[in-house]
Structures are given as C-alpha cells and as structure tokens.
Amino acid sequence: MQRFTRVFLGGFIVGLLIVGCRMLSNVSPQIQSTARIVQPLDSDWHFYKGDAAGAEQPQFDDSTWRRLDVPHDWSIEGPFDPNNPTGGAGGFLPAGIGWYRRHLILPNEYADKRIYVEFDGVMANSDVWINGLHLGHRPYGYVSFRYDLTGKVRLGPNQLNILAVRADNLLQPASRWYAGAGIYRHVRLIVTEPLHIDQWATFVTTPYVDPQLALVNVKTAILNQTKQDQDAAIDLQIIGPDGAIVQSGRSDARTIASGERAEYQIELKVTDPMLWDLERPNLYKAVVKVVSGGKVVDDEQVTFGICKAEFRAESGFWLNDKNVRIKGVCLHHDGGAFGAAVPLAVWERRLQRLREFGVNAIRTAHNPVAPEFLDLCDRMGLLVMDEFFDCWTIGKNPGDYHLYFNDWSKIDLRDTILRDRNHPCIIIYSVGNEIRDTTRPEMAKAILKGLIDVCHRYDPTRPVTQALFRPNVSKDYDNGLADMLDVIGTNYRDRELLAAWQARPTRKIIGTEQRHDLETWLAMRDNPQHAGQFLWTGVDYLGEAWRWPVVGAGSGLLDRTGRPRPIAYQRASWWSDRPVVYAVRRVAVERRMPDDPGFEPLARPQVLFADWTPADLGPHMETVEVYTNCAQVELQLNGRSLGIKQRDPNDAPLTWQVEFEPGQLKAIGLDSGRPPVVCQLQTAGRPARIVLAADRTELRPCWDDVCHVEAMVVDGNGVVVPSADHMIRFLVSGPGTIAAVDNGSLYSHEPFQATQRRAYQGYCMAYLKATGQTGRITLTATADGLQEASISLEAAPLR
C-alpha cells in the first residue's frame, strides 16, 4: 500500500503579506528580512486597454494612460454584451489586449545584488520587458513566474526603469468559464545576494509522524551566482505555533563552484508535534538561512504544518490516522463582482460559509489558484485537490490551452508543483478535467505518463488523479489508463466508479465532480472505499452561461455574493455535525425538452424558495420540504401542528402538502437530550425600509481587506420581501470607498463597479474598502419609497 506522509510548508519568502495588508499608496513599502528584500509592486501602474505599438520601449509616453493598482482585472469592468467574443463561456464580458507599465527607481544599494520580478499570474499570453529588453512569454494565465532583472536595470535616484507587460486574450472563446484579463494577481520585486536560495527550492517532508514524534526532513538548494567559488552552509530553525523555537540545526559547509547549484538536506526531530488537521490547523514556521563567511547572506521564512495523509483502497482517505470523508466542492477562480482579481477577504468569507455547511475540501477547478488562496486553506484547515489543466492536446474552445500544451504543459506543471508542494492543505494533484484526448487511448496514456512523472519527480509525497470523462465510453477502466493514476477520479458517474472498484478492489477511488442529488450522496455515504466527492459547485460563477441574457452558472451552494441557496442547508443536513432543520417551498417547473417548440435553455429554473411569500397569496397547496439531521421534525402553521415526521434513514427530505395561508410557518427539529432547533418563515408584507448588515466592524486600507454589506428590503416587521427589486443607491462618507456592488442574479447586466444595484429577491450587496487608517466609514443606502439605512465601521491601521 502506497502511503503519502509529509510535513507541509504553506507560504512564501519572508515579508510576503499573506493575509493581504498592502498599502494603497503610490510607493509600496519595502519589507526587509535579514538578508533579502521583498518589495511589493502592486501600486501605481499605468494601464491601457488595447494594443499600443512600442509600449515596451522606455521612451514611450504613457502619461495619458489610466493609473491603477494591481491586482487588476479589466474585463470585469464590462460591459456585458451578447456580441463580446468570449460568448456565454466567458460571461459575455470583453476580451482583448491590455498593456501595463510600472516606473521603477532602484537604489544604488542594489548593486552587486540579484534582482528578480515575480508575477503570481497574468491573464493571458503575457510578454514582459524591462527597459525595452524582452524577458519572456508565458501563455498560461494561471501560472506564477519570475524573471531575472540583474544587469538589465539602472540604479540610482535619477535612473528610471520601465517594466512593461502586455497581456493578450484576443483569441476567443479561450475558456469554458470566466477567466478575466490583465495582471490579476500580485507582483513583487525580490532582491538577494548572488549567493542565495533558489526559487521554490525548499521542500519539507516527514519520513515519520506520530503524536509523540515527527522527523522533519528539509531539502533546499543554494545558487552561486558570484564569480568565485563559495563556501556555504544552511541554518534551520523550526518555530512552533506558540512562537517558541522547537528545534534547530546546521548543515555541513560545502564549496559551491561559480555558476553552480548545490542541494542541502537537514533532518530534525520534533517531539510532541502539534499536528495540522481539519479542526486544529496548527502551523509552524521554518527559518532557512544561508551562512557564508560567518554571516547570513540569504534567508527564507515559511509556514508549514505537520500531518500524515494517505488514501486506502478499502477505506478512502485518512488524515493523521483518522478516517475522513472528503466533503468537497469545486470552485472556479472568479470572485463575482471582483472578477479574477479577488481580495482575500472575499474568499475567506466564502470558505467560512461553506465550512458552516459541512464542506471540508476544495477542488481548484480547473487550474492553479493564487498562492494566497492556498495559504488561506492552510490556515482554515481545508483540504485541497490542486488541479492544473482543463484540456490537453484536444481543445474545447478555439483559444484553449491545447494550443500551447505540447510546448508548455510540463513547464507549467513543474513550476506549479514547486510553488505549491509545501502547503499542508494539498492532499492530491489532478492533471486534467474531462480530457477529450482519452478517446485516443494510446496517445492519452503517453501524455498522462509524462504528467504523472513530472508530479512524482517534483513531489513524490502526493498522489495524482485525473477527473475522468465518461470512462466507460472511452474504456478508461479497461485499457489501463485509469490504473496509471494513484487515485482514480471520475466526474458524475459514481456508480460506475464503484463498479470499477468492485472489479478491482485494490483501486483507490474518489469522486472529482458531483451533482447535488441524494443518490450521489448515498453513493459515498454507503461505501467506505469511496474517499469523497466534490460538488459542482460550491459558489456560483461567471461564464458557462447557456444563452444570453444569462451571464453565469447557478450551481453553487452559495450565490456569487456568498448568500446560501436552499440546497446548502440540505447539504448541511448530510454533511454537518451541527443540528440542522430548514424549511423551503418546492415549486413545480414545467419540463421542456430541447426538441420542444420554443425551448430556451437559459439558467436552471429556481424550484426552491426559502420564504412563505408565494406570488399567489390566496388559497392553494404548497409543497414544503424540510432538510434535517434531527431525529424528528414537527411542522407548524400559525401555531397549529401539521404533524411530526421521523428522519428518513436514507436522508431524503421530509415533505408536507400544506394549504397555504399567510402567517408563520415553523419547522421544529427534535432530538433527545438537545434543545429544539427552529426554522421559521414569515409571510412578507409591503416593502417598507432597507436593512444593512456588515460582516465586520473594522476595515484596514489594504488590497485584500473588504467589508461585505448586505442590503435587504424588508416590510414593517423586518421580514425580507422576496419580490422587491428596488434600485438601491449607496453613498459612503469617511475614509472608505465602494469597491463593487452585486445582487447574485444570473440575468443582471448591471456594472459591478458602480454605486447602485437593483435588489434581486429583496437583496443586494455593497463591497467596501478603506482608504485611510483612521476615522469612521459610513455607508448609507437609499431607494425610492423606502426608509433609508446607514451603517458605520472604523478604519483601522495596518498590522
């Protein structure tokens, strides 16, 4: 049985602000460790939407270009248009070419140093120049990359350097979902001594882990870019979650020839380790220092977690010798109103809400994510399937990655594994989603072998899977392709996956993409060999729209704004450990087939409504579903009992046929020895006022910090009016700004970068950012015919 045990590192070099507090000023602060400098380059870029001949040259005049900070996604600024070349796949948002230029003045102190620029992601087909010199090209918009600026820049207070970036996603459609455009992730300058730790070279594993002892094995590599041979050793400190040094060691000194790279390894014992797990995601810090000539010439500080993870054929996934059912969701990378440039606070709120419904794992569908997203999963104790590609050599759109796969796939895969392999949250890699090459099995198997070899070469501790596409059709279970995978993954066809396990019980299996239905849940619940599932999806996303006017996909447990859908509570009744009872109305929808006259495939019709305010307030019958994990549920209407029902042993919802009357519908969950759990629905009256609710009381002036303010239209009793569609106007005073607005509607074509939004089902959202470190920020919401509302929070200093 193959086991995967390791210590993980989660983080970047010292000084990177993982939580995301970057100054919103023209000059980014330098963050200096003992030996290296990491300088954020997020602020004060010049941007032009369109092509600009000669814009890579230093003398080019960019004085009329727009000034902005990155991360920046220019496509999300719209407008939505059915004629945009991205089509429904890209949410009918624009595409094309965008230019960015950054003016740099670098101090004389950087002489005799190595200077690098590092991009976390540029969408897409990026070219980068420094002072007119072409540094390189990367077609894949999801990968991180670095260029060496040493010897190409001018130093001194009067010496201007121009860093230019061209991003091109003109060939469309280029994705099956909204991808964004531009420098949509963070950028930084890294300055080191010529004798320094190589990029992404540090790798930590554990050959042994138990509650009393962990062996921590640290490998790294030093690059000697001086003109002479150099003697160097590695110092290592391990700092515990409480901030105390728990272990330290030093390697032997070695001589590294000029221009050469030398690898180092240190193994230390950590007694009574505090393990990383789902409930207690303990994180350590490792400080790696390069010592030469009696002084520290380079260092890195990273966070890591100690844990043991493995998949077993007969019993699924195990974490720290505990059997864990993987209860996952697939997530695309957009953040709704923010497009692809997503502040970390948006992800933190989404992930926290998903956890409340029992989710413990994320599949990064279908591409590498921003590094800070993985840092967040590390801190929150969420498992991750790290996925890389949506296609190989057979594309799904004209501008897909298949155009570049043969030249770039192994490079992109290598770089992403090196970047990601130290995160404790990552438990498995996926090298493809619904790959169409599998219809040509011999070609597909050769490609798959090459991808698996790259994964195992750069990270032998983690298994590799692939989200198989109709494997019984392409005979993947029979022709040897599926068995090349360490863990066999299949989309949607869980019963076929279980049959494949029955045919060969040594196979390890996992569901890589699943529906929300009961049958699919039971396939995992009742089969211990089934390691887990990833629902499609956790959150609604832009793109993959069937036809205008729809601009997004509504398959999430949460909508784009993070508001839970009714199916989230059904999922909680299956997945959550907390008591759940939740009542909804189920409305029958006419089913029409594609060959019916007038068939219009738009968004999935809404059939579940978490209210007691149907359009028809007269006498009629309503179907009421109650989702619960309580032993019994009593349903009451206006204080009258409509009966008590026992929980279904197969987790089906409890159903009542109820003659509607206005008032109060109440579901009461009953369990022996526990207080009752109540869900209450109230018939809404006429819209009367706006109510605001904020998710925080303080807001810091950094790119990743955002306050979510929900605006709800309610009646005189405070009940949300689901039919309300008022235009809500927002006004902010104090050191804050409205970064975006949204309402979660899949049909809305309103701009996200605005100060007003029409309510959808009585609800919309304003996203606030701070522009200063002190003072009171006040948001006021108004609408015609409604009583206005205000809410305040404090601007807070950076930490």
Side-chain angles (χ1 to χ4, degrees):
M1 178 182 297
Q2 187 176 12
R3 294 177 180 266
F4 298 90
T5 60
R6 62 217 182 263
V7 164
F8 306 100
L9 288 142
F12 255 126
I13 40 188
V14 65
L16 273 181
L17 299 177
I18 295 171
V19 176
C21 283
R22 290 171 170 83
M23 293 286 289
L24 298 179
S25 61
N26 288 332
V27 179
S28 298
Q30 290 187 358
I31 304 167
Q32 188 167 357
S33 70
T34 305
R36 68 167 53 194
I37 296 170
V38 179
Q39 177 179 336
L41 289 183
D42 287 347
S43 65
D44 202 24
W45 287 77
H46 296 64
F47 170 71
Y48 177 75
K49 185 168 70 172
D51 211 353
E56 74 278 9
Q57 297 302 324
Q59 66 272 18
F60 183 89
D61 182 7
D62 59 16
S63 60
T64 61
W65 287 17
R66 179 178 165 192
R67 301 284 286 272
L68 52 76
D69 297 334
V70 301
H72 170 243
D73 174 9
W74 64 261
S75 180
I76 198 63
E77 298 171 5
F80 291 102
D81 189 323
N83 296 315
N84 276 330
T86 57
F92 298 104
L93 283 160
I97 296 171
W99 277 90
Y100 296 81
R101 284 166 55 96
R102 180 60 150 82
H103 296 199
L104 296 172
I105 295 178
L106 304 176
N108 287 319
E109 288 77 13
Y110 290 179
D112 300 322
K113 308 281 189 183
R114 304 300 300 190
I115 306 171
Y116 303 92
V117 62
E118 190 168 73
F119 295 85
D120 286 343
V122 180
M123 187 65 67
N125 293 295
S126 66
D127 287 278
V128 181
W129 294 264
I130 186 71
N131 297 329
L133 298 173
H134 188 244
L135 298 174
H137 173 79
R138 292 301 286 257
Y140 200 28
Y142 297 106
V143 295
S144 300
F145 53 91
R146 173 190 288 190
Y147 293 123
D148 192 346
L149 306 184
T150 310
K152 304 177 182 69
V153 292
R154 297 180 287 271
L155 305 180
N158 299 315
Q159 298 295 318
L160 181 64
N161 299 276
I162 299 296
L163 180 66
V165 180
R166 182 182 187 269
D168 178 0
N169 67 351
L170 194 61
L171 181 59
Q172 292 290 336
S175 174
R176 295 187 302 112
W177 59 90
Y178 177 78
I183 305 177
Y184 73 105
R185 293 181 184 168
H186 294 295
V187 187
R188 64 195 60 86
L189 197 72
I190 299 173
V191 183
T192 72
E193 295 292 335
L195 185 68
H196 61 92
I197 300 169
D198 201 4
Q199 183 188 26
W200 301 324
T202 303
F203 186 31
V204 183
T205 59
T206 53
Y208 182 82
V209 175
D210 70 20
Q212 289 76 43
L213 177 69
L215 297 181
V216 180
N217 189 286
V218 180
K219 294 181 180 179
T220 193
I222 299 175
L223 192 60
N224 180 13
Q225 294 182 293
T226 71
K227 296 180 180 180
Q228 294 84 32
D229 296 351
Q230 299 287 340
D231 292 335
I234 290 292
D235 266 357
L236 174 65
Q237 288 183 334
I238 297 177
I239 300 172
D242 61 356
I245 298 174
V246 299
Q247 190 55 277
S248 61
R250 173 178 282 197
S251 72
D252 293 333
R254 296 172 55 186
T255 300
I256 309 173
S258 174
E260 295 298 317
R261 182 181 188 270
E263 295 184 352
Y264 291 74
Q265 179 173 317
I266 300 176
E267 187 167 275
L268 299 175
K269 294 180 180 179
V270 175
T271 57
D272 300 321
M274 300 176 68
L275 301 184
W276 185 94
D277 59 28
L278 304 184
E279 294 78 26
R280 294 167 297 278
N282 294 301
L283 293 171
Y284 288 73
K285 293 180 181 179
V287 180
V288 181
K289 299 179 180 180
V290 179
V291 180
S292 181
K295 63 179 182 180
V296 175
V297 297
D298 192 23
D299 62 354
E300 285 185 343
Q301 179 175 296
V302 293
T303 55
F304 71 92
I306 300 174
C307 65
K308 179 168 64 173
E310 60 181 310
F311 288 83
R312 301 179 185 175
E314 74 286 355
S315 54
F317 178 68
W318 291 72
L319 182 65
N320 300 327
D321 296 321
K322 178 182 177 181
N323 195 199
V324 175
R325 306 309 295 273
I326 295 173
K327 302 170 182 178
V329 295
C330 303
L331 291 177
H332 275 317
H333 79 143
D334 80 81
F338 292 94
V342 190
L344 202 57
V346 173
W347 281 122
E348 185 170 19
R349 181 174 179 267
R350 288 177 164 193
L351 296 183
Q352 183 57 48
R353 289 198 163 186
L354 289 170
R355 286 198 63 157
E356 291 169 2
F357 294 105
V359 172
N360 64 14
I362 304 298
R363 176 187 177 214
T364 66
H366 306 289
N367 48 261
V369 292
E372 64 268 20
F373 180 90
L374 297 175
D375 292 330
L376 181 61
C377 292
D378 288 342
R379 293 194 299 273
M380 295 184 68
L382 288 166
L383 308 172
V384 171
M385 175 183 288
D386 199 9
E387 190 160 65
F388 304 119
F389 307 118
D390 189 49
C391 66
W392 293 349
T393 66
I394 300 176
K396 302 172 184 178
N397 285 291
D400 260 345
Y401 187 70
H402 70 287
L403 301 173
Y404 320 106
F405 184 86
N406 287 332
D407 293 332
W408 284 98
S409 60
K410 291 183 180 179
I411 297 171
D412 292 336
L413 181 59
R414 175 203 66 194
D415 289 355
T416 305
I417 289 173
L418 290 174
R419 188 198 71 171
D420 293 353
R421 61 185 175 172
N422 293 311
H423 285 278
C425 62
I426 297 174
I427 59 169
I428 192 168
Y429 296 126
S430 171
V431 294
N433 171 67
E434 297 182 352
I435 299 301
R436 296 182 180 180
D437 300 57
T438 58
T439 58
R440 306 172 187 179
E442 295 310 310
M443 178 184 76
K445 285 192 286 185
I447 294 172
L448 179 59
K449 181 181 184 303
L451 298 177
I452 293 174
D453 288 347
V454 172
C455 292
H456 287 169
R457 175 181 177 184
Y458 294 104
D459 184 0
T461 72
R462 284 180 178 84
V464 179
T465 190
Q466 176 186 334
L468 296 177
F469 179 56
R470 300 174 184 171
N472 277 3
V473 175
S474 51
K475 308 300 182 184
D476 298 340
Y477 297 137
D478 306 317
N479 62 22
L481 186 143
D483 290 312
M484 296 173 65
L485 300 167
D486 301 315
V487 180
I488 299 174
T490 298
N491 285 4
Y492 298 108
R493 291 161 169 77
D494 290 66
R495 294 299 177 186
E496 293 180 12
L497 181 63
L498 289 166
W501 180 88
Q502 291 286 349
R504 189 171 298 169
T506 57
R507 289 168 163 165
K508 303 168 187 176
I509 60 171
I510 189 168
T512 41
E513 186 171 314
Q514 273 67 40
R515 297 181 182 89
H516 294 266
D517 62 286
L518 176 61
E519 180 184 0
T520 301
W521 157 235
L522 295 179
M524 182 180 87
R525 189 198 71 172
D526 298 339
N527 292 280
Q529 69 272 30
H530 197 312
Q533 298 176 333
F534 290 88
L535 300 176
W536 190 262
T537 56
V539 184
D540 289 358
Y541 56 97
L542 293 167
E544 205 163 10
W546 294 352
R547 185 178 299 180
W548 181 269
V550 179
V551 297
S555 57
L557 297 176
L558 313 176
D559 74 8
R560 286 196 313 259
T561 69
R563 181 170 51 160
R565 296 185 180 279
I567 57 172
Y569 294 91
Q570 182 178 44
R571 186 60 46 174
S573 73
W574 299 338
W575 282 6
S576 177
D577 294 328
R578 63 181 174 88
V580 174
V581 63
Y582 196 75
V584 300
R585 296 186 297 115
R586 176 175 285 276
V587 177
V589 174
E590 179 186 2
R591 297 293 179 182
R592 304 185 73 179
M593 301 304 292
D595 55 354
D596 289 344
F599 176 76
E600 290 287 339
L602 298 177
R604 291 179 176 88
Q606 183 174 353
V607 297
L608 301 175
F609 296 84
D611 64 61
W612 195 237
T613 312
D616 178 7
L617 295 178
H620 66 279
M621 298 303 294
E622 288 281 350
T623 299
V624 175
E625 288 186 354
V626 177
Y627 310 131
T628 190
N629 54 15
C630 298
Q632 298 177 321
V633 172
E634 180 182 10
L635 191 67
Q636 296 180 357
L637 178 59
N638 293 326
R640 305 189 310 273
S641 178
L642 302 181
I644 295 176
K645 295 191 176 185
Q646 306 295 316
R647 179 185 178 185
D648 188 287
N650 284 321
D651 283 341
L654 305 180
T655 304
W656 282 261
Q657 296 299 317
V658 179
E659 185 172 354
F660 176 80
E661 61 182 62
Q664 182 186 87
L665 184 75
K666 183 185 293 186
I668 305 170
L670 304 171
D671 261 324
S672 176
R674 290 199 305 196
V677 184
V678 178
C679 173
Q680 182 174 299
L681 304 179
Q682 186 80 30
T683 305
R686 295 176 61 85
R689 58 191 174 93
I690 301 170
V691 172
L692 298 179
D695 69 340
R696 63 193 63 207
T697 58
E698 289 187 342
L699 191 58
R700 303 179 190 279
C702 55
W703 191 87
D704 280 313
D705 207 9
V706 173
C707 178
H708 300 73
V709 182
E710 296 175 298
M712 293 157 283
V713 180
V714 302
D715 67 7
N717 295 317
V719 178
V720 174
V721 183
S723 61
D725 62 354
H726 299 70
M727 180 64 76
I728 309 295
R729 296 178 292 273
F730 297 102
L731 178 66
V732 66
S733 63
T737 188
I738 299 169
V741 292
D742 197 1
N743 61 13
S745 170
L746 301 176
Y747 291 85
S748 176
H749 305 143
E750 300 168 270
F752 295 116
Q753 285 68 44
T755 58
Q756 64 180 20
R757 191 75 171 191
R758 190 168 294 281
Y760 174 64
Q761 297 185 346
Y763 168 95
C764 64
M765 171 83 75
Y767 299 88
L768 296 184
K769 284 192 173 186
T771 57
Q773 300 192 51
T774 59
R776 180 172 288 267
I777 304 169
T778 299
L779 180 73
T780 301
T782 63
D784 294 343
L786 299 178
Q787 180 181 332
E788 69 179 44
S790 295
I791 196 167
S792 295
L793 58 156
E794 295 294 325
L798 294 171
R799 288 180 291 199

